[in-house]
Amino acid sequence: MTDAYAYADADAGADAAKVVVVTGASSGIGEATARRLAADGHRVFLGARRTDRLDALAREITERGGSAAYQRLDVTDAADVKAFVAAARERYGRVDVMVNNAGVMPLSPLDALRVEEWDRTIDVNVRGVLYGIAAALPVMRAQGAGHFVNIASVGAYEVSPTAAVYCASKFAVRAISEGLRQESPDGGVRVTLVSPGVTESELADGIADPAAREAMRAYRAVALPASAVAAAIAYAVSQPAEVDVNEIVVRPAGSAQ
């Protein structure tokens, strides 16, 4: 199911339209964010490994009057992320917003010793964000302006059983985001950390540990639509240059999750 947005004309509001690059754009929060920001009149450049989905999404956006392009992206490869950002800049002339969204959540108790899953979590959730910053920050500094939107989780504030490594990765994203904010005292580069609670996505589909997978199914009984998180991102992106929305936590109403 897709969200029915009334698409603005990106060319009509050229001064307000921004160039937004989104990682992990093939599903979930990334896909919803691409749709929402394109509908708001921004030009979106989409990255993920599943190019068939990116192609379908970019076609949908352009058919509705928006502006979208894509390139295959592996956020665990620093050179690939750098090339991705360079391609966005070459196509649109600049990069105004970097949405570091790509993430994985392979939960398991530590004594299961799923070391390869730990490594994958760190590679995608932490290194992927750092590689995004490394690729886009020089571009934004050269422009004199830019905005990072880093997607964390309520797991960036609390730890739960089976989620120690996942939460550690999101604590890291929170720390990296705050450090980047403090290192941008002139306000030229803005930083927003968005931490969703339980959200409809494919994140839980990759949980191999049977007990953790079953617990997550119960945990996700009440979940936000991805479009709700996209709306929070759109709010931060829409603020005037002198306003930096630093942290947004979004949960299902009435839920502690």
Side-chain angles (χ1 to χ4, degrees):
M1 180 178 179
T2 60
D3 299 294
Y5 294 121
Y7 274 59
D9 183 348
D11 293 325
D15 292 338
K18 297 176 180 178
V19 176
V20 184
V21 296
V22 184
T23 72
S26 61
S27 65
I29 291 170
E31 180 181 2
T33 298
R35 284 198 182 95
R36 173 58 190 264
L37 295 183
D40 288 350
H42 303 299
R43 299 170 175 87
V44 296
F45 195 78
L46 314 176
R49 291 176 300 161
R50 294 177 292 186
T51 54
D52 56 334
R53 292 195 177 193
L54 294 179
D55 182 70
L57 178 58
R59 286 176 182 272
E60 174 194 321
I61 288 171
T62 55
E63 287 170 0
R64 293 186 178 189
S67 177
Y70 69 90
Q71 179 164 302
R72 187 189 185 280
L73 173 65
D74 178 356
V75 299
T76 69
D77 183 332
D80 206 31
V81 181
K82 185 175 181 180
F84 171 70
V85 171
R89 186 184 189 189
E90 181 177 356
R91 182 178 183 89
Y92 292 116
R94 56 187 297 114
V95 172
D96 298 300
V97 184
M98 175 91 186
V99 182
N100 284 309
N101 165 74
V104 294
M105 190 178 66
L107 307 184
S108 64
L110 290 170
D111 63 10
L113 302 180
R114 293 181 179 270
V115 177
E116 290 184 0
E117 289 186 353
W118 301 347
D119 289 343
R120 177 67 177 166
T121 300
I122 293 167
D123 285 345
V124 176
N125 294 3
V126 182
R127 289 194 176 94
V129 171
L130 288 170
Y131 293 162
I133 292 170
L137 186 57
V139 175
M140 294 178 182
R141 292 288 192 213
Q143 293 171 173
H147 190 174
F148 286 95
V149 179
N150 297 330
I151 309 303
S153 163
V154 292
Y157 301 87
E158 59 191 15
V159 182
S160 56
T162 75
V165 177
Y166 174 74
C167 291
S169 73
K170 295 304 184 178
F171 268 76
V173 172
R174 182 182 170 201
I176 291 163
S177 299
E178 176 59 12
L180 180 58
R181 184 193 70 81
Q182 292 184 22
E183 292 174 10
S184 303
D186 60 357
V189 176
R190 300 187 293 173
V191 183
T192 301
L193 181 76
V194 177
S195 296
V198 180
T199 305
E200 295 171 357
S201 73
E202 297 179 355
L203 270 182
D205 295 349
I207 299 175
D209 185 88
R213 185 171 59 247
E214 189 57 37
M216 184 51 60
R217 282 177 180 154
Y219 185 74
R220 298 172 71 85
V222 178
L224 289 167
S227 59
V229 183
I233 295 168
Y235 169 77
V237 169
S238 71
Q239 298 307 298
E242 67 273 14
V243 177
D244 190 1
V245 178
N246 300 138
E247 295 190 39
I248 303 177
V249 179
V250 187
R251 291 186 173 95
S255 172
Q257 301 168 1

